[in-house]
């Protein structure tokens, strides 16, 4: 087990029209990386199929072990890195907005179905998920939330209380919601004393403009890496697990919240 982890958030061009183009972009991005060798790559929401594609989502949805997952597993093995990506998951006749992590051996180690579907097209195609799962990557306990999930303080607090050191958030954040990437995401990391990796698109997809702003935030709320809004590529940072303990000792929000008169431990510590 190691106490540090090198993570890259991959800010992807939104206008890649097919799964094959997206895989090609990822392969080229990993191959051309001359910086730190990543232990983990975080890709945006619905990276497998595209986000703003309307009814095409019905045809592009796959099972968690489908062809796209196989291709990601091959890239993970080749580049010796775990990869977290979003995809449209098909389970019988039901679709979920899902993200999953495949480790460097090609093994599925973590998965999350988006809990809260925002107003708009997602409610027309996807069913909401239920609950969160934690998994281990090196010495880090990791949770996944998808896009809108992280905008609810209860969701981040929930996974942090259950032991998450690192929260991975694939997103498809529109250009009008930049406050989320710039302010909300750092606040979520700070108020829980955890690392947070936020991976978004850049550019335009079928008349939807994306904010960019992919970032890696430390437990003290400071940005370790942040992508330029218009640029695609990898933003890399080394995460030291000891920073989580230092932050949570310095500002013990998780225990001090019980000093608030309207909070009871029985109500606020649900099992994951």
């Amino acid at each position: 087990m190691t106490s540090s982890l090198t993570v890259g958030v991959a800010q992807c061009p939104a206008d890649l029209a097919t799964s094959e183009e997206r895989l090609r972009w990822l392969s080229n991005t990993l191959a051309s990386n001359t910086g730190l060798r990543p232990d983990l790559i975080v890709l945006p929401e619905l990276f497998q199929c595209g986000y703003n594609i309307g009814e095409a989502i019905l045809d592009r949805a796959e099972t968690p072990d489908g062809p796209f997952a196989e291709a990601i597993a091959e890239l993970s093995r080749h580049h010796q890195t775990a990869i977290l990506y979003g995809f449209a998951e098909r389970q019988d006749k039901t679709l979920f907005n899902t993200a999953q992590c495949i480790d460097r051996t090609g093994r599925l180690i973590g998965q999350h179905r988006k809990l809260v579907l925002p107003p708009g097209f997602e409610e027309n195609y996807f069913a909401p998920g239920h609950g969160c799962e934690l998994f281990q990557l090196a010495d880090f306990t990791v949770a996944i939330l998808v896009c809108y999930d992280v905008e609810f303080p209860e969701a981040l607090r929930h996974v942090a209380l259950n032991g998450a050191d690192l929260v991975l958030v694939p997103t498809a954040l529109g250009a009008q919601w930049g406050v989320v990437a710039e302010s909300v995401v750092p606040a979520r990391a700070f108020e829980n004393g955890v690392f947070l990796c936020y991976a978004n698109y850049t550019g335009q997809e079928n008349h939807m403009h994306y904010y960019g702003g992919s970032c890696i935030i430390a437990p003290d709320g400071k940005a370790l890496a942040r992508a330029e809004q218009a640029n695609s590529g990898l933003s890399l940072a080394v995460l030291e697990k000891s920073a989580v303990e230092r932050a949570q000792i310095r500002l013990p929000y998780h225990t001090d919240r019980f000093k608030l008169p309207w909070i009871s431990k029985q109500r606020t510590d649900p099992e994951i």
Side-chain angles (χ1 to χ4, degrees), residues 45-255:
E45 181 178 11
L46 296 177
F47 174 78
Q48 166 257 341
C49 56
Y51 181 80
N52 189 39
I53 60 173
E55 288 189 359
I57 204 86
L58 301 173
D59 296 324
R60 297 186 188 181
E62 294 188 5
T63 59
D65 59 352
F68 198 87
E70 292 178 357
I72 291 289
E74 183 176 342
L75 285 172
S76 294
R77 289 189 291 265
H78 180 74
H79 292 281
Q80 286 294 284
T81 183
I83 299 176
L84 181 286
Y85 68 98
F87 73 109
E89 179 192 356
R90 182 181 300 282
Q91 186 183 73
D92 299 323
K93 295 182 179 181
T94 303
L95 299 188
F96 297 96
N97 183 338
T98 301
Q100 65 183 22
C101 188
I102 293 176
D103 74 7
R104 66 178 59 195
T105 71
R107 181 174 62 97
L108 175 63
I109 58 172
Q111 188 184 80
H112 174 78
R113 292 169 171 168
K114 190 172 185 176
L115 299 170
V116 188
L117 303 176
F121 86 96
E122 287 190 57
E123 292 180 315
N124 296 328
Y125 297 106
F126 297 114
H130 299 280
C132 304
E133 296 180 4
L134 302 180
F135 62 96
Q136 292 298 128
L137 187 62
D139 199 29
F140 285 72
T141 301
V142 184
I144 306 168
L145 297 173
V146 175
C147 195
Y148 197 41
D149 290 345
V150 81
E151 297 175 36
F152 294 86
E154 298 88 349
L156 211 301
R157 178 61 50 84
H158 176 70
V159 295
L161 286 174
N162 281 278
D165 308 303
L166 168 61
V167 182
L168 311 179
V169 186
T171 189
L173 186 72
Q176 71 272 37
W177 303 112
V179 65
V180 176
E182 301 295 336
S183 300
V184 174
V185 166
R188 293 288 171 269
F190 174 78
E191 66 195 8
N192 289 284
V194 298
F195 288 102
L196 201 156
C197 297
Y198 192 74
N200 193 24
Y201 295 101
T202 186
Q204 182 177 336
E205 177 192 37
N206 298 327
H207 307 294
M208 178 175 175
H209 295 266
Y210 293 91
Y211 183 75
S214 301
C215 54
I216 301 172
I217 306 297
D220 61 3
K222 296 178 182 177
L224 298 176
R226 185 177 288 278
E228 296 292 332
Q229 286 179 244
N231 293 349
S232 63
L234 281 180
S235 298
L236 294 154
V238 178
L239 314 186
E240 299 290 344
K241 187 180 176 184
S242 58
V244 174
E245 183 178 9
R246 289 198 304 272
Q248 293 181 357
I249 290 173
R250 180 170 176 263
L251 289 170
Y253 289 131
H254 292 168
T255 53

